[in-house]
Amino acid sequence: MAEPIRILHVLGCIDLGGAESRIMDLYRHIDRSRVQFDFLVHTQQEGYFEKEIKELGGRIFRVPRFRLYNYFSYKKSIRDFFAEHREFRAVQGHMTSTASVYLPIAKRAGIPITIAHARSAGVDPGMKGWFTGLMRKDLSKRADYLFTCSEIAGISVFGEKAVKEGRTIFIPNAIDCQAFVYHTGKRAKMREELRLSDAYVIGHVGRFHYAKNHEYLLRVFAELCRNEKEAGRNYVLILLGEGGKMEEMKELSYQLGIGNKVYFLGNHSNVCDYYQAMDYFVYPSRFEGLPGTVVEAQVSGLKCVMSDTICNEVAVTDLVHTMSIEDNPKKWAAYIEKTADYERNDRFEEMKAAGFDVNSQAETMMNFYETGKWNGR
């Protein structure tokens, strides 16, 4: 029996982030007798998905984290790696900040296919963001294929010219839609476990990072709480995720007088169950590629309000409404209050038809990895 072809995914880490979760969804659903995934990460720490990857037959390789001062030693570590590992059919770079370094090295080492995958539509503020933009400047010319989760992500990472010329390929951030289908029994059980049976639950899923704009979310929630008696609701906010800004956001919640109504729940492998417990999904990100969380929320039938900086491609159903994060948080709170009562139903078929179900995407991606061609290209 022939060995499966091996695809190397390059990431910063393999923790419970958006890109990592989408890759793992795909990994679980491909035929691993045909295609096997390996991972090159830029950390020495064990990641959230490490054990599962090994159980699925994947390998994890490590290189030093890139810093400006270690440019030459970083390049050497990449060259050394690909000098030893030429067995990959393709290298798919999700870490686009340094993809212009490692993808050309992989190509020169004889890897047949190199892919740069744009998953974010913005950069961190300050010098770090400026340098990321500089590193991406010629990336569109340094990969065989340019994948993007949305048009704005493609423009941000590869430039407007590459997008207008049709050199980018849209790959929806597909999920296991069936896992998020709304179920009244699961909802009741989850709300009971969380002791939120009598609450109106505002939900958010995302790492505590500048891009996610948790401070704005907390201010919107504080406005909701000010009017909860008039609205006749007991508002509660549940936040899933971890990250560097978590402690800062905990402190802010108490400064705003809502600390006892905000649940910082951390990371959970059964995040799909937490959507069942929610009543409304709020997502005021400063920038995104294409947030899988908003896909997940729609499948489970949740009304969503998100910032208008997020791509249109994710707004598949009429459940999604966009607003500006330049608005006073009171405006967001007023909209949520006005639309809080609705009949909830799952939207599985709509999301599947739009290409967001990973079962359909798995076959498409396996064919691409095997042939090296995307719809004849």
Side-chain angles (χ1 to χ4, degrees), residues 251-266:
E251 184 178 338
L252 178 59
S253 71
Y254 280 98
Q255 290 174 4
L256 294 170
I258 54 174
N260 64 332
K261 295 174 73 67
V262 182
Y263 291 67
F264 292 81
L265 301 179

Side-chain angles (χ1 to χ4, degrees), residues 357-376:
D357 185 52
V358 73
N359 289 284
S360 302
Q361 191 178 100
E363 189 62 38
T364 299
M365 293 306 299
M366 285 191 295
N367 287 335
F368 166 72
Y369 291 138
E370 289 172 331
T371 64
K373 294 182 180 179
W374 187 269
N375 296 331

Side-chain angles (χ1 to χ4, degrees), residues 6-7 9 20-32 35-39 49-60 358 361-362 366 369:
R6 304 197 78 92
I7 309 300
H9 292 274
E20 296 90 339
S21 296
R22 300 292 75 80
I23 297 164
M24 290 304 296
D25 277 338
L26 180 63
Y27 193 15
R28 296 178 192 115
H29 288 83
I30 59 173
D31 180 348
R32 291 183 295 279
V35 177
Q36 182 57 257
F37 286 175
D38 294 313
F39 297 80
F49 291 115
E50 192 142 344
K51 181 181 177 183
E52 183 181 2
I53 287 169
K54 291 176 180 177
E55 289 173 349
L56 293 173
R59 298 173 296 172
I60 300 164
V358 73
Q361 191 178 100
M366 285 191 295
Y369 291 138

Side-chain angles (χ1 to χ4, degrees), residues 163-178:
V163 174
K164 284 187 174 180
E165 290 177 350
R167 292 192 284 127
T168 58
I169 297 170
F170 173 55
I171 309 289
N173 280 348
I175 66 168
D176 183 1
C177 285
Q178 193 61 51

Side-chain angles (χ1 to χ4, degrees), residues 77-129:
S77 69
I78 296 294
R79 283 197 299 268
D80 290 347
F81 173 79
F82 283 110
E84 184 178 349
H85 295 281
R86 303 171 186 264
E87 68 269 28
F88 305 110
R89 169 71 172 164
V91 176
Q92 189 163 342
H94 308 272
M95 186 177 172
T96 56
S97 57
T98 58
S100 60
V101 176
Y102 60 76
L103 289 180
I105 292 174
K107 194 69 177 180
R108 288 194 292 271
I111 307 300
I113 304 167
T114 58
I115 308 155
H117 198 148
R119 292 186 174 274
S120 177
V123 295
D124 290 337
M127 182 63 78
K128 182 179 179 182

